[in-house]
């Protein structure tokens, strides 16, 4: 993984497998997170996480483009 700090934005370059892992972890947090302490544990509301997930590109699982 490579992270480039561009001030207001951060550009992250990571392998496809890591991208899917991050997305899966966010989905898992939504499904199993307790509403009462979700924001404290995750640092975002469930709505914010859903919005982020919905904004991710729809990539194929394989390496084809």
């Amino acid at each position: 993984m490579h992270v480039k700090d561009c001030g207001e934005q951060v550009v992250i370059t990571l392998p496809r497998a890591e991208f899917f892992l991050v997305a899966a972890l966010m989905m898992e947090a939504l499904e199993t997170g307790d509403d009462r302490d979700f924001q404290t544990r995750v640092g975002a509301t469930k709505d914010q996480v859903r919005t982020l997930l919905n904004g991710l590109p729809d990539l194929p699982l394989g390496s084809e483009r």
Side-chain angles (χ1 to χ4, degrees):
M1 175 188 310
H2 176 74
V3 179
K4 181 178 178 185
D5 185 350
C6 299
E8 287 295 312
Q9 292 187 334
V10 176
V11 178
I12 301 171
T13 305
L14 63 156
R16 181 176 296 271
E18 289 180 14
F19 171 84
F20 287 112
L21 175 61
V22 170
L25 290 171
M26 290 191 305
M27 287 184 270
E28 181 72 15
L30 281 177
E31 292 175 11
T32 62
D34 186 341
D35 289 341
R36 293 172 292 175
D37 67 347
F38 185 87
Q39 186 169 359
T40 301
R41 287 178 30 262
V42 176
T45 66
K46 283 189 171 186
D47 286 339
Q48 289 171 319
V49 174
R50 282 186 196 98
T51 299
L52 182 61
L53 279 168
N54 288 334
L56 292 177
D58 188 20
L59 298 176
L61 286 175
S63 60
E64 66 276 355
R65 293 181 185 200

